């Protein structure tokens, strides 16, 4: 079958690989849609960052480059291995792409997103979803509620990242939030905040293009264009000089981290969600003087069902709107990856499909 | 009266200044003991850092250099202004040295240690306690419970810093802690952890001298000498490779911050307590992957009475043991400040007194 495999920096190839065979206790999924993640772009341009090389195979999969990419995906079950009860052939499903050890203290406590051997499908081996089929663990296969499309289920992944971060923040409905960065995870965070009925959510993005428009579409109460406006002045203006209760830092660069410390109120919380390409500096004296809570947030744990249900019952309305382009697997490199590198600001989420005809 | 005033970097002088006069609603205290704080040393060697210069007078006091130093103090009330009910002449008291605006959202919420105009006696003006007398706000004057000496009440200040940090961490009795740095605040944190019945407390210090001995004295369950031992190996050894639940970073240098991120368990908490002389780098990808909670902790709020009571009822037993030397105000510069700069590792807390005879 066709699979888009990462061989190293700037080297993605549409390879012909063996179609994976189902084994006892596992499930074969025909992939409908897979979103291109910012972390995939990072690997493509600056990697290998997280993806395992031959001198350091991933501890869970034992695999190393080249590896099939793609982890934000949904599709339909086409075959189940012996003993699988959870899902049946024909069911449409989202696949939570995490790979975990099930043995460490994090896995045993339920916080499996903190697994000391943490990995992900499409990153660490275990197949990837820029391909036709994948065989996965049914524990991480979530049947779609009635009315949830596989397009919505594919974008559920970045929404889950935001949903988890919002949970980490413990923000309440009457509190105020600032999301810095209106890419897919930023929009997913905005969506999750609004689903949690948070009263005031500002979104900052360094342009006034498609991403800001998307933030407006999903209910941002204030848009700040940091290319023309002062973020700190705007936040001071709308919060009576106090700052917001919670800042979600979803850009992962020095300037946005500095903004976050400036925009959060004394005693407030900054949640950092993005993987960093470098080690930033941190103004610890501001962390101290304001008694800031700085929280790291990684992926999600036990949150896929909640997000899929919120899509089904309309608390998350029509998340398909996040999708700014759909491309075929054959065109994924040029019209997907390269398009995002050329015109990042014009897009929120680009989806890839290996099939010429799948449910939209 | 005599007062040790800071005129600028490396310039502390025993000046003759007017004795402060009590005014309505305020209280005059004869100072018994004042501890030399690490932040005083920072100012002396690298300052002005926090102390206000003439181009930036402190917003609350309007004062700037030269200023009397000293903020960890206790003594006795010698005069009360009109309308003061809280304390009477002759009472022995600890003075909480914070200066706050009482108007910002932090002060109104009770978290006055986060005051947006935060200041401190002995730092920001309002007098200082390397002197004979001081006139203060009775709201911040705490009568000593029976059996609490003014020596204990002076060292209550760094204990309060630790007590507050322990509260911020939300650590529970069955959890594990690591305190990095066994100076006065590190020892104060250890004391507070033990008063909260925390089962396992390791203390790391980069020597095996007086500070480690003090940590042993106050009940540390494990001493790590980072000059000869690997902190991460030791913590891994005693926590089955998991790391501790909470790290208190009380040294404020890059190496100890890096240690803290390495030694904390996935999902654990790092509390940073020390003022920094520079902006460190922060490994954000570790913060994310381990989902660390990094909390700033500054001073204390509403914690003096609890600490004084804990000293009175023996949960904090004989905190006078923290004092490694007592010097007169006349000798404070040479036998106090210079002694700490020459032989920091030999001391935990040096106390200064302006009187030749005060209760020990």
């Amino acid at each position: 079958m066709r699979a888009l495999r990462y061989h190293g920096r700037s080297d993605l190839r549409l390879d012909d690989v063996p179609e994976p065979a189902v084994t006892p206790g596992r499930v074969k999924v025909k992939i409908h849609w897979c979103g291109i993640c910012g972390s995939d772009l990072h690997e493509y341009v600056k990697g290998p960052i997280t993806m395992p090389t031959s001198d350091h195979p991933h501890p869970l999969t034992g695999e190393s480059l080249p590896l099939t990419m793609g982890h934000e995906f949904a599709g339909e079950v086409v075959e189940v291995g012996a003993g699988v009860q959870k899902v049946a052939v024909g069911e449409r499903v989202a696949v939570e792409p995490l790979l975990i050890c099930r043995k460490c203290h994090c896995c045993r406590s339920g916080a499996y997103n903190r697994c000391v051997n943490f990995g992900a499908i499409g990153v660490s081996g275990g197949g990837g979803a820029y391909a036709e089929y994948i065989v996965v663990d049914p524990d991480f296969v979530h049947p779609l509620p009635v009315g949830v499309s596989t397009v919505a289920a594919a974008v559920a992944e970045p929404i889950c990242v935001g949903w988890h971060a919002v949970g980490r923040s413990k923000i309440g409905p009457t509190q105020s939030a600032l999301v810095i960065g209106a890419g897919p995870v930023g929009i997913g965070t905005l969506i999750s905040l609004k689903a949690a009925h948070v009263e005031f959510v500002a979104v900052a993005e360094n342009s006034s293009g498609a991403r800001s428009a998307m933030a407006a579409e999903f209910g941002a109460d204030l848009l700040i264009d940091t290319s023309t406006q002062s973020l700190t002045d705007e936040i001071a203006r709308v919060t009576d000089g106090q700052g917001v209760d919670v800042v979600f830092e979803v850009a992962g660069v020095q300037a946005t981290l500095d903004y976050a410390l400036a925009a959060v109120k004394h005693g407030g919380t900054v949640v950092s969600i993005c993987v960093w390409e470098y080690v930033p500096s941190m103004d610890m004296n501001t962390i101290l003087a304001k008694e800031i809570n700085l929280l790291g947030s990684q992926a999600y744990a036990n949150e896929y069902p909640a997000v899929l249900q919120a899509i089904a019952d309309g608390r998350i309305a029509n998340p398909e709107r996040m999708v700014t382009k759909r491309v075929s697997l054959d065109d994924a490199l040029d019209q997907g990856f390269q398009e995002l590198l050329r015109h990042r600001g014009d897009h929120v989420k680009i989806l890839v499909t290996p099939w010429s005809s799948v449910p939209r």
Side-chain angles (χ1 to χ4, degrees), chain A:
Chain A
M1 67 174 186
R2 291 166 297 148
L4 193 63
R5 295 203 303 172
Y6 179 78
H7 291 254
R9 186 175 304 176
S10 305
D11 188 1
L12 267 174
R13 304 179 202 167
L14 191 64
D15 290 332
D16 188 44
V17 302
E19 190 173 311
V22 78
T23 51
R26 291 176 68 83
V27 172
K28 183 172 177 179
V29 173
K30 178 183 174 179
I31 293 153
H32 284 189
W33 298 103
C34 179
I36 299 177
C37 177
S39 65
D40 296 340
L41 287 174
H42 280 226
E43 291 288 348
Y44 180 64
V45 174
K46 301 256 186 176
I49 303 168
T50 314
M51 294 184 78
T53 51
S54 58
D55 46 337
H56 288 99
H58 193 273
L60 288 179
T61 64
E63 296 179 54
S64 60
L65 300 185
L67 290 170
T68 305
M69 271 189 157
H71 61 272
E72 303 179 354
F73 67 109
E76 72 182 276
V77 175
V78 290
E79 199 178 347
V80 300
V84 171
Q85 305 286 334
K86 185 179 176 184
V87 288
V89 170
E91 269 192 288
R92 293 172 319 111
V93 294
V95 179
E96 184 175 353
L98 304 193
L99 300 168
I100 62 170
C101 74
R102 298 174 187 265
K103 292 175 188 166
C104 72
H105 70 279
C106 301
C107 287
R108 292 198 312 269
S109 75
Y112 57 80
N113 62 316
R114 299 171 185 166
C115 172
V116 300
N117 293 304
F118 183 83
I121 288 171
V123 178
S124 319
Y130 300 138
E132 298 176 24
Y133 297 97
I134 191 167
V135 169
V136 295
D137 179 340
D139 285 353
F140 289 87
V141 173
H142 304 286
L144 303 190
V146 173
V148 177
S149 70
T150 47
V151 169
V155 297
E157 202 275 350
I159 298 173
C160 282
V161 175
W163 193 275
H164 178 72
V166 169
R168 285 273 289 149
S169 77
K170 296 193 168 63
I171 192 169
T174 62
Q175 292 190 298
S176 56
L178 165 67
V179 179
I180 306 181
V185 171
I187 297 294
T189 303
L190 165 64
I191 286 172
S192 301
L193 287 163
K194 283 302 173 185
H197 308 294
V198 173
E199 220 163 62
F200 179 82
V201 184
V203 176
E205 173 63 36
N206 64 353
S207 78
S208 56
R211 295 183 165 209
S212 292
M214 191 68 74
E217 175 92 11
F218 281 104
D221 300 290
L222 175 70
L223 296 174
I224 303 171
D225 176 356
T226 54
S227 70
T228 60
Q229 293 177 290
S230 158
L231 184 143
T232 42
D233 286 355
E234 280 298 287
I235 290 297
R237 183 178 64 79
V238 297
T239 61
D240 199 19
Q242 292 183 17
V244 295
D245 292 297
V246 183
V247 178
F248 296 88
E249 197 288 291
V250 202
V253 297
Q254 185 71 56
T256 55
L257 182 60
D258 295 342
Y259 281 149
L261 300 191
V264 74
K265 75 163 44 158
H266 289 231
T269 296
V270 173
V271 185
S272 179
I273 314 183
C274 263
V275 171
W276 287 72
E277 286 181 356
Y278 56 88
V279 175
S281 63
M282 178 72 75
D283 178 0
M284 289 301 294
N285 285 340
T286 295
I287 298 267
L288 262 75
K290 295 175 81 166
E291 289 208 322
I292 291 170
N293 310 300
L294 175 76
L295 313 181
S297 184
Q298 169 163 280
Y300 29 73
N302 303 306
E303 277 134 347
Y304 253 83
V307 167
L308 294 173
Q309 189 54 46
I311 294 172
D313 67 25
R315 276 175 296 144
I316 298 175
N318 196 9
E320 292 89 342
R321 288 178 289 175
M322 284 174 68
V323 180
T324 47
K325 192 175 182 188
R326 303 172 193 218
V327 301
S328 74
L329 180 56
D330 297 340
D331 298 329
L333 180 54
D334 185 54
Q335 294 184 33
F337 280 74
Q338 296 294 355
E339 168 70 13
L340 283 168
L341 293 173
R342 282 188 302 257
H343 306 294
R344 182 175 165 282
D346 293 347
H347 292 285
V348 175
K349 184 55 70 186
I350 296 181
L351 294 190
V352 175
T353 180
W355 310 105
S356 56
S357 167
V358 292
R360 300 186 71 76

